Each structure stands twice: as structure tokens, then as C-alpha cells.
């Protein structure tokens, strides 16, 4: 158990809909990272938050947004969903901004029909 | 373009064999991660290294900064080692913005 909790584990929705994925980091970790794993693109970094502030941005679509709340949990919002958004979405946490190992959640599997 | 290449893509071994998975990257990095992803999908961080060698149980990770290459070795492989092994690199001072290799799917047969 990594200590990182992601919900929901599975989500099935329709094109055009909006979903929210939630991540609770390991106790004491200030950084939260979101990654997308799709069959054709593999793992890709989406975005990083550190102590409530956006720290780094990767290949995140404009239809996607994220935030980190004062209690350090984070949410990834995916809107106007397309079939190609079907993927595993992972959250990871680490203590600092760029140090140490990453602790991954179990992932949220999103299926867009 | 900054790239991370892993080889082989697929690997089948017999229980007890010594296994090597390779990772090459295109430009200088500040750190390299080895990750393990089991069939259920969960990802576990195995190693983070920026130089030299690290060992944890039957797993050994090495990195050669000059050659831009890292290897993950598994000694005395076991069927429970069957998983996808993923190399990921952090370029320069890009925080923990990682670029991932395509993964190596390992199957260890009893």
C-alpha cells in the first residue's frame, strides 16, 4: 500500500460528459502529480501541484484541469470527454518538488463510450 | 526531441534466470526512475538513481551517465516478477516532470 488513494477505481461515461477524479496523497507529501496511461501513448505526465500551487505542466489538454486543495488532496477534472480520453489516470505524490521517489495510487480507469 | 527507449519490448524467461532490461535516453538527465506495473495496473517505484548502482533484494539498477544508459537486473527471477517494467527520466531541472519509456513486458515461467 503506497498510501496514495485514488477514487473512483473505475468510471464509465459517455462522450461529451464531465468527470472528476480524486487523489489523496501520502501523509506528509506536498506534491501531487497526475499521469495518463493510454494504449497508444503509454504513460504521459499531465500536471504537478505543490502545496496548492501548479508547479509543472505537461501534455494536459485544455479540456482537462486540476487543482490541489488546502488539505492537499487533488482533483483532475476532465470535460467534453472524447473516446480517446479512455485511459488509466494515475496520481502520485512525493514529499518535495523534485526530490525523492514517487508513490503511486492504484489508478482510475476511465472508459468513454 | 527528448526520448527514452527501452529494450526489449517483451521478454520471456524461465524461473531462476538472470534478467536485464535496458533504458537509453537522448540527453542529460537529473534522475532516472525504474517502475514496476503489475497486471492489475498499479505502479510501484522500484528505484530512483542519478549515478552508480542501487540494489534492493534481487533487483539491481545501474546507470552510466556518460553513455546515457541504465539497466535493471533481476537475479534468480521468479514468476511473481512478471510485470511491465518502465523506465522514466527527469530532464535537467524539470521538477518531477517525467518522460516515460514504452515499458518492457516480462513474463517469468515456472
Amino acid at each position: 500500500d503506497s498510501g496514495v488513494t485514488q477514487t473512483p477505481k473505475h468510471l464509465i461515461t459517455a462522450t461529451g460528459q464531465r468527470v472528476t477524479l480524486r487523489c489523496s496523497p501520502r501523509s506528509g507529501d506536498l506534491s501531487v502529480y497526475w499521469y495518463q496511461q493510454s494504449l497508444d501513448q503509454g504513460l504521459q505526465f499531465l500536471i504537478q501541484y505543490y502545496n496548492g500551487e501548479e508547479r509543472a505542466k505537461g501534455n494536459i489538454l485544455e479540456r482537462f484541469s486540476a487543482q490541489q486543495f488546502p488539505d492537499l488532496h487533488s482533483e483532475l477534472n476532465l470535460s467534453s470527454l472524447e473516446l480517446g480520453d479512455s485511459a488509466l489516470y494515475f496520481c502520485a505524490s512525493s514529499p518535495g518538488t523534485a526530490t525523492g521517489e514517487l508513490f503511486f495510487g492504484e489508478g482510475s480507469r476511465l472508459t468513454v463510450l | 526531441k527528448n526520448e527514452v527507449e527501452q529494450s526489449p519490448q517483451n521478454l520471456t524467461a524461465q524461473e531462476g534466470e538472470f534478467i536485464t532490461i535496458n533504458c537509453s535516453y537522448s540527453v542529460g538527465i537529473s534522475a532516472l526512475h525504474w517502475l514496476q506495473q503489475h497486471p492489475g495496473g498499479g505502479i510501484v517505484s522500484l528505484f530512483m538513481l542519478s549515478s552508480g548502482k542501487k540494489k534492493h533484494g534481487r533487483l539491481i539498477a545501474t546507470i552510466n551517465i556518460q553513455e546515457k544508459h541504465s539497466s535493471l537486473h533481476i537475479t534468480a527471477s521468479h514468476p511473481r516478477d512478471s510485470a511491465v517494467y518502465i523506465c522514466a527520466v527527469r530532464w535537467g531541472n524539470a521538477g518531477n516532470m517525467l518522460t516515460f519509456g514504452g515499458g518492457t513486458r516480462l513474463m517469468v515461467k515456472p
Side-chain angles (χ1 to χ4, degrees), chain A residues 32-34 44-49 53-66 76, chain B residues 94-98:
Chain A
V32 169
Y33 312 81
W34 286 99
Q44 292 192 94
F45 167 75
L46 295 179
I47 198 163
Q48 175 198 0
Y49 277 83
E53 300 287 328
E54 183 184 302
R55 190 75 178 186
K57 198 176 241 188
N59 299 322
I60 187 166
L61 300 171
E62 285 191 11
R63 299 183 287 107
F64 297 179
S65 64
L76 179 67
Chain B
N96 253 344
M97 189 168 134
L98 298 178

Side-chain angles (χ1 to χ4, degrees), chain A residues 34-46:
Chain A
W34 286 99
Y35 300 94
Q36 179 194 58
Q37 185 178 38
S38 60
L39 282 176
D40 55 343
Q41 301 269 16
L43 266 165
Q44 292 192 94
F45 167 75
L46 295 179

Side-chain angles (χ1 to χ4, degrees), chain B residues 15-89:
Chain B
E15 184 173 355
E17 285 185 0
F18 180 85
I19 288 162
T20 296
I21 298 170
N22 298 298
C23 176
S24 297
Y25 47 91
S26 53
V27 297
I29 63 170
S30 58
L32 183 143
H33 296 249
W34 280 103
L35 310 172
Q36 179 191 56
Q37 185 171 28
H38 275 283
I43 295 176
V44 174
S45 176
L46 298 175
F47 296 103
M48 187 192 74
L49 62 168
S50 53
S51 65
K53 175 180 173 177
K54 287 191 176 180
K55 184 176 189 292
H56 185 254
R58 296 179 295 106
L59 301 178
I60 303 166
T62 64
I63 188 167
N64 185 318
I65 298 297
Q66 286 72 33
E67 294 188 4
K68 298 185 180 58
H69 180 269
S70 175
S71 293
L72 176 68
H73 305 286
I74 305 175
T75 62
S77 61
H78 189 276
R80 65 175 175 267
D81 298 325
S82 298
V84 176
Y85 292 85
I86 302 168
C87 161
V89 303

